[in-house]
Amino acid sequence: MIPQRSPRFAMVAGEASGDLLAGLLLGGLKARWPGLQGFGIGGPKMAAHGFEAWWPHDKLAVRGYVEVLRHYREISGIREQLAQRLLAERPDAFIGVDAPDFNLELERRLKVAGIKAIHFVSPSIWAWRGERVRKIRQAVDHVLCLFPFEPAIYAANDIPATYVGHPLADAIALEVPRAASRAALDLDDTHQVVAVLPGSRRSEIQYIGPRLLEAAAVMQRRQPGLRFVLPVAPGLRPLLDPLVAKHAAGVDLQLLDGRSHEALAACDVTLIASGTATLEAALFKRPMVIAYHMHWLSWQMMKRMKYQPWVGLPNILLRDFAVPELLQDDATPAKLADAGLAWLDDPPRCAALVRRFDALHRELRRNTAQAATDAIEKVLAA
């Protein structure tokens, strides 16, 4: 039953991408219920909508089996404390935003206790770890899906789900603000610009950052006129500065505090870590080279479980190697540089990619905040 008062939602979003998605969702929820209360684990995008973060989102920003094991005690301790507090607070609903390894077990406990559990962003059961669908069935009352093919998977497993589109497709304009972004970054139209996006997690910076920075150095040597921009996620500047000094000394590289959307809008090509940022790059219609590198043991475990030939979201959605993926041992500076320069040397190939990304953008544009809020309202009323 929908409460007569403004609802109280508990939410958990891990890392920068989850904070971004949750912030966009909160915008829709606040439009429906201006007096709602939100609390749990989140970041600055959520805080901008009045969300009360009991723990910061970056506490959960760990990827890879080995890396998670190193932080397991702290993360499981946070989850236990949060569960106890939410069982006492009894919010009208819990909304887990991505972070399935953390959220699904928490959602299961809350659902058993009679608290509505909603998961926003389907775990990638169509790409790997498909057995998790059983845990999802036990854990959630409803799944909010970002991609159009996902609800059918859940329907086949008796799990209520709704396609709500991707909020980034609403937030990012169909027409790329290239000139304005270049002006904001002090880049003129004569520059060829490469955006370097090594990820928003510390582990990604450590494993992927050096490779992308060395690739930038190779590209600079081959084409001295290139300009590079690197958006830095909050709190990661002390980690990146020494890597830049070591691996990209002499590169015409501008470090930005955040501003990843300006960097993507302004660039001609991006060297980018696999993850949500690759979808952002596709929505900005940018050619890209997707890279990933992790601890060797995490990689061995992960590659045995994946079901599809693609890792990057743009390729998964287009069901094609529309953009190059250089993963693990293939993610060498030389190969990354070659692939990046190949885009700059082939305008017709870039134009064809823009057309495909534009069609994808329009398919994912569904006013996600409103569609998700409508679905959440129905869950509350059930």
Side-chain angles (χ1 to χ4, degrees):
M1 176 179 293
I2 300 175
Q4 295 300 310
R5 55 175 170 74
S6 294
R8 299 164 63 247
F9 292 118
M11 300 177 72
V12 168
E15 70 193 4
S17 62
D19 177 47
L20 175 62
L21 293 172
L24 294 167
L25 175 60
L26 275 168
L29 294 172
K30 293 279 279 190
R32 183 71 51 90
W33 297 294
L36 77 80
Q37 299 176 50
F39 44 81
I41 298 178
K45 301 291 188 184
M46 300 166 73
H49 293 282
F51 183 85
E52 181 184 350
W54 296 341
W55 286 271
H57 70 303
D58 55 11
K59 285 290 186 181
L60 309 185
V62 181
R63 172 172 283 190
Y65 295 99
V66 174
E67 293 78 7
V68 168
L69 285 173
R70 289 174 183 158
H71 297 272
Y72 177 78
R73 181 173 295 181
E74 179 185 17
I75 292 173
S76 61
I78 290 171
R79 183 167 59 191
E80 180 60 30
Q81 293 176 63
L82 179 60
Q84 294 299 330
R85 189 165 177 179
L86 294 181
L87 289 169
E89 293 274 352
R90 297 201 66 82
D92 295 298
F94 174 84
I95 304 172
V97 182
D98 208 1
D101 290 320
F102 185 94
N103 278 326
L104 287 176
E105 176 58 27
L106 179 60
E107 288 160 357
R108 185 194 64 78
R109 290 181 64 178
L110 297 176
K111 182 182 176 184
V112 167
I115 297 171
K116 301 285 188 181
I118 299 160
H119 198 82
F120 180 41
V121 183
S122 166
S124 302
I125 54 175
W126 33 265
W128 67 306
R129 294 181 66 184
E131 77 284 352
R132 280 199 293 188
V133 73
R134 294 189 293 274
K135 187 168 188 177
I136 295 168
R137 186 188 302 115
Q138 296 170 350
V140 307
D141 293 287
H142 207 92
V143 181
L144 303 176
C145 300
L146 303 187
F147 303 126
F149 59 83
E150 292 174 325
I153 298 172
Y154 286 104
N157 288 278
D158 298 317
I159 301 169
T162 302
Y163 171 51
V164 297
H166 203 294
L168 288 172
D170 297 319
I172 296 171
L174 288 169
E175 295 296 325
V176 178
R178 186 175 187 271
S181 298
R182 287 198 164 213
L185 299 178
D186 196 27
L187 299 164
D188 64 45
D189 204 47
T190 64
H191 294 132
Q192 282 194 307
V193 179
V194 181
V196 180
L197 279 77
S200 59
R201 304 178 181 91
R202 290 183 173 272
S203 59
E204 288 175 328
I205 299 297
Q206 291 166 343
Y207 281 104
I208 304 169
R211 293 166 182 264
L212 296 191
L213 290 167
E214 289 182 19
V218 173
M219 294 176 76
Q220 182 91 86
R221 286 196 297 271
R222 294 187 191 172
Q223 292 193 22
L226 290 177
R227 301 280 297 274
F228 295 83
V229 292
L230 194 162
V232 183
L236 294 182
R237 189 69 178 260
L239 187 62
L240 261 169
D241 281 340
L243 293 179
V244 171
K246 180 178 180 180
H247 300 285
V251 173
D252 190 348
L253 175 65
Q254 181 182 0
L255 294 181
L256 309 172
D257 291 323
R259 305 175 72 181
S260 61
H261 283 190
E262 283 182 309
L264 287 171
C267 76
D268 294 290
V269 66
T270 177
L271 307 179
I272 190 166
S274 180
T276 302
T278 62
L279 181 60
E280 293 177 88
L283 295 172
F284 278 103
K285 326 299 188 295
R286 296 300 89 193
M288 71 188 82
V289 181
I290 296 174
Y292 213 79
H293 193 271
M294 57 175 63
H295 190 283
W296 69 270
L297 182 57
S298 293
W299 173 250
Q300 292 300 319
M301 296 173 72
M302 186 174 180
K303 74 177 184 178
R304 283 199 294 268
M305 284 191 276
K306 72 187 186 82
Y307 307 144
Q308 301 190 39
W310 315 285
V311 168
L313 278 171
N315 289 340
I316 288 169
L317 291 168
L318 294 174
R319 304 195 64 78
D320 181 24
F321 281 105
V323 299
E325 297 181 358
L326 295 171
L327 311 175
Q328 205 62 6
D329 293 341
D330 279 336
T332 65
K335 288 183 179 180
L336 291 163
D338 286 343
L341 291 170
W343 282 118
L344 296 178
D345 293 338
D346 196 344
R349 180 181 172 217
C350 293
L353 185 70
V354 167
R355 291 190 292 271
R356 298 187 75 180
F357 283 165
D358 182 73
L360 177 63
H361 194 163
R362 293 174 191 277
E363 183 181 14
L364 296 177
R365 216 166 212 238
R366 290 290 183 272
N367 195 346
T368 298
Q370 180 177 320
T373 299
D374 289 344
I376 291 168
E377 188 170 33
K378 290 177 182 176
V379 173
L380 293 180

